[in-house]
Amino acid sequence: TFAAWPENVPLAYRRLSGLWWFSNELGGLFCEPPKGGDSASFQITVSGPGLVTFEWQLFGADGTNALFCYVGGQLRGALRAPGSAQASVAVEPGSCNVRWAVRRGSGSPETWGLLRNIRWEPLARPSDPQPVSGSRSRGSPGPARPTASWCRRG
């Protein structure tokens, strides 16, 4: 299966709802059109920090349906118009699910989504500054005085 391909194993693909297929002709994963009012979704699991980049496309857009991207359960993007677009989402440190869902409006015609070139780009974790072993600050004798303040992010 697509999820078992060596380049995809680290992403831990998992189908959540609907039917998803890989197509060489389309060059990516596509879903069967969900029933009116339903959705089709799948996710990957990555260990951040990093960046997930992808191309997404929505077919059959009519204003009542969309292709959504969620990171850790929070909506990070929505494609509501027909056509394709490049996108990326940042992932904070730790294990995180990135989920895509095609939502079909209750009265809309068939709609389906396509995702291509899903790539995970891990980033180095932020670290606290560390002095070189054996280094000392220069200055007058006596208690050391702070010369800068540090702010840790992440």
Side-chain angles (χ1 to χ4, degrees):
T1 66
F2 177 77
W5 292 359
E7 64 271 25
N8 295 334
V9 169
L11 299 178
Y13 279 86
R14 192 172 114 201
R15 182 184 62 82
L16 301 174
S17 63
L19 296 174
W20 289 86
W21 308 95
F22 179 80
S23 166
N24 285 325
E25 184 178 328
L26 296 172
L29 288 173
F30 71 96
C31 69
E32 294 277 330
K35 293 179 182 177
D38 284 344
S39 64
S41 63
F42 78 95
Q43 73 181 22
I44 61 172
T45 302
V46 294
S47 183
L51 194 65
V52 176
T53 59
F54 54 94
E55 179 183 348
W56 54 351
Q57 188 168 0
L58 181 65
F59 296 86
D62 70 350
T64 65
N65 46 43
L67 177 52
F68 299 102
C69 179
Y70 300 86
V71 176
Q74 295 182 350
L75 180 64
R76 293 289 177 89
L79 189 61
R80 297 179 188 276
S84 65
Q86 297 287 330
S88 62
V89 290
V91 175
E92 295 181 8
S95 181
C96 187
N97 295 325
V98 179
R99 178 172 56 102
W100 291 270
V102 175
R103 178 84 176 149
R104 181 176 175 185
S106 58
S108 74
E110 283 191 349
T111 187
W112 55 283
L114 172 66
L115 285 120
R116 295 183 189 100
N117 303 317
I118 299 170
R119 292 195 182 5
W120 168 240
E121 300 172 24
L123 301 173
R125 292 184 183 271
S127 63
D128 292 328
Q130 300 292 324
V132 175
S133 179
S135 67
R136 296 175 187 232
S137 64
R138 292 185 180 184
S140 61
R145 296 179 187 201
T147 57
S149 59
W150 297 93
C151 177
R152 183 176 183 192
R153 298 181 143 238

